[in-house]
Amino acid sequence: MLSININLVWTIINLIILYVLLKKFLIKPVTSIMEQRKALIEGSLENARKREAESEELKKRYEEALKDADGQAEQILEKAKSDAKAQSERMMKEADDQAKKVLENARKAAEKEREDALSGARTEIGELAVLAAKKLLSGGDAGADSRLYDSFIGRAGEDR
């Protein structure tokens, strides 16, 4: 059967001593280093998650600020367009008013010139009529009457 040999006992004792020594001097330090490493890695991962969350928050803030800036730019642009349109309409109205005033003044000036011309023509016709009547009453000749008539027609044509 089995015989227990003293060598077997010494081998078992050596193995137990080796196991205790390896556990104390090798396995515990390695396990401790691995635990520290694991804690460091977990800390780094947690730090990375926090930074990622912070960066997402900053990204959201940036996008909101960008949207607000776009909205403000759109409002400023719309206001500038409406101001420009209002100013353009105001300027067009002023120009139209000025054109109406100029046209009215020109119409009044033309009417005044026409009345002055008619008044001058009436005065001239009256003077010519008086002159013709004087000549007729003075008993002038027929050639003089013809010349007087031609002169009257010539002057009347010049006044127009």
Side-chain angles (χ1 to χ4, degrees):
M1 307 209 339
L2 218 168
S3 68
I4 296 186
N5 189 342
I6 189 97
N7 284 333
L8 183 62
V9 172
W10 280 113
T11 304
I12 291 175
I13 290 174
N14 280 336
L15 281 174
I16 291 173
I17 291 172
L18 181 65
Y19 174 75
V20 170
L21 289 174
L22 284 177
K23 187 173 181 181
K24 179 172 180 147
F25 292 112
L26 183 66
I27 294 176
K28 279 190 179 183
V30 169
T31 305
S32 173
I33 290 172
M34 287 176 61
E35 288 296 323
Q36 289 174 353
R37 183 83 171 152
K38 182 179 177 184
L40 179 66
I41 290 171
E42 286 176 357
S44 295
L45 286 174
E46 185 62 32
N47 191 15
R49 285 186 196 109
K50 285 180 184 177
R51 289 184 184 218
E52 184 179 8
E54 289 173 359
S55 68
E56 284 296 321
E57 181 64 29
L58 287 174
K59 182 181 174 186
K60 286 179 185 176
R61 284 191 217 159
Y62 170 75
E63 288 174 352
E64 288 175 5
L66 188 60
K67 285 180 186 177
D68 288 345
D70 286 343
Q72 288 176 351
E74 191 67 32
Q75 287 175 349
I76 290 170
L77 186 60
E78 287 300 320
K79 186 178 184 306
K81 284 180 182 178
S82 66
D83 289 348
K85 185 177 180 181
Q87 186 175 5
S88 172
E89 288 174 358
R90 182 180 50 82
M91 290 174 68
M92 290 296 287
K93 187 176 184 280
E94 287 176 2
D96 190 39
D97 290 346
Q98 287 178 352
K100 284 180 182 176
K101 285 180 184 176
V102 167
L103 187 61
E104 185 63 31
N105 288 341
R107 206 176 283 136
K108 285 179 181 178
E111 184 66 30
K112 185 172 184 334
E113 285 181 24
R114 181 176 169 266
E115 287 177 9
D116 288 346
L118 283 176
S119 175
R122 284 185 189 137
T123 304
E124 186 79 24
I125 289 171
E127 289 175 2
L128 287 176
V130 169
L131 184 62
K134 282 184 185 178
K135 291 259 183 177
L136 281 177
L137 290 177
S138 67
D141 62 350
D145 289 342
S146 177
R147 284 191 306 262
L148 181 62
Y149 176 74
D150 289 340
S151 170
F152 172 74
I153 296 295
R155 286 185 188 175
E158 291 174 5
D159 288 339
R160 287 186 184 182

